[in-house]
Amino acid sequence: MLAAAPAFAAEKLTLMLDWFVNPDHAPVVLAAEKGFFADEGLDVEIVAPADPADPPKLVAAGKADLAVSYQPQLHLQVHEGLPLVRVGTLVATPLNCLMVRADGPIKTVADLKGRKIGYSVSGVENAIVQALLAKAGLTPADVEMVNVNWSLTPALMTGQVDATIGAYRNFELTQMKLAGGQGKCFFVEEEGLPAYDELIFVAHRDNLDRDRINRFMAAVERGTQFMLNHPAEAKKIFAAHAPDLKDELNATAWDATFGRFAVSPAALDHGRYARFETFLHQAGLVPEVLPVGKLALDPGAAE
């Protein structure tokens, strides 16, 4: 009877994604499917949001343990007073791009004057657009921002907007091509923004369970390593996670995303966060330069 009893009960942890499940989340999905979370004594609930702007707010409100978010958004939200801190990196390179129709009138960022730009996440996308416009000699008053929520590609293809921000070069470009269109990306890190971590894990800074977060990151790291060591098997396991992940869009996006994941998710690049914070301040988007320790940490490092 004693042998039949479980040795311990797995600790529950709720992870809010930034979007519906897609190849950007591959290491997390693999950690779940391969039992890496269970090996760390964790029962991880992976939840897709109803609104992509909600996840960090839910963590700040204590309604989720971790959220997948964006480094630029983190800087802005910490300045707004949200008790958030970066505890890990998922995708370590920018994916965001300003997407336009390849056959449309927008040939340079300066051509956006008088045009509509669609976005999904308020705050962060507006700030990125402001920085891109400034380099092109434009101001936010020169464009109209339109919240299209999940529908970035459809809004662009139907002419609802002239460009989108928040479209990912590894996903929406393929989505547009499969739908019969042709998109063009202006890469944000080539248009005036410093390089940054696209997808990060954020936690409540005043309620950190470092041990549990460390175990979560260890499992995600194993997921990334499995991808690198067994790419074909990893792709098959990911595709089997949900029916819609088997389609051509997700298969192509998988290939375009491979190699962009942080190989050591918990490790923190202090310089990257300091540079982006300074950039936001110089652009007039935040009132002061916060020390990196107010924005991000390595949960395994000594306090």
Side-chain angles (χ1 to χ4, degrees), residues 70-262:
Y70 319 97
Q71 182 187 337
Q73 184 180 37
L74 170 70
H75 290 259
L76 298 176
Q77 291 182 327
V78 170
H79 278 279
E80 291 167 4
L82 266 65
L84 298 171
V85 64
R86 172 269 183 208
V87 293
T89 299
L90 180 57
V91 175
T93 72
L95 294 175
N96 199 349
C97 77
L98 181 79
M99 190 168 75
V100 300
R101 294 187 300 275
D103 60 352
I106 312 299
K107 305 304 180 185
T108 69
V109 175
D111 294 332
L112 288 169
K113 187 171 183 178
R115 305 285 183 171
K116 296 179 179 180
I117 303 176
Y119 69 95
S120 293
V121 183
S122 60
V124 60
E125 306 297 13
N126 299 66
I128 289 174
V129 166
Q130 182 175 333
L132 298 180
L133 293 175
K135 189 186 178 191
L138 302 178
T139 71
D142 290 317
V143 301
E144 179 184 349
M145 300 295 293
V146 180
N147 190 338
V148 297
N149 203 1
W150 301 96
S151 301
L152 291 168
T153 303
L156 182 60
M157 291 188 68
T158 59
Q160 180 184 349
V161 296
D162 303 291
T164 60
I165 191 70
Y168 280 179
R169 64 196 69 172
N170 62 329
F171 198 84
E172 271 82 6
L173 272 180
T174 299
Q175 185 180 45
M176 193 166 180
K177 184 176 181 180
L178 292 176
Q182 191 68 38
K184 173 185 176 181
C185 263
F186 294 98
F187 301 127
V188 293
E189 71 275 22
E190 296 178 358
E191 297 293 337
L193 269 73
Y196 59 88
D197 295 335
E198 187 64 68
L199 293 182
I200 59 174
F201 297 101
V202 297
H204 195 299
R205 77 155 27 258
D206 300 325
N207 189 29
L208 280 180
D209 185 336
R210 285 178 177 258
D211 175 67
R212 193 166 50 144
I213 292 171
N214 273 326
R215 286 184 279 132
F216 175 87
M217 292 305 160
V220 172
E221 183 168 338
R222 285 183 68 190
T224 304
Q225 291 170 345
F226 185 83
M227 284 183 69
L228 295 173
N229 292 336
H230 311 281
E233 185 181 355
K235 188 174 184 178
K236 186 180 297 185
I237 292 170
F238 175 81
H241 178 72
D244 58 346
L245 297 179
K246 298 180 177 69
D247 62 19
E248 185 179 358
L249 171 58
N250 281 283
T252 304
W254 171 282
D255 295 335
T257 313
F258 198 89
R260 291 184 177 270
F261 296 104

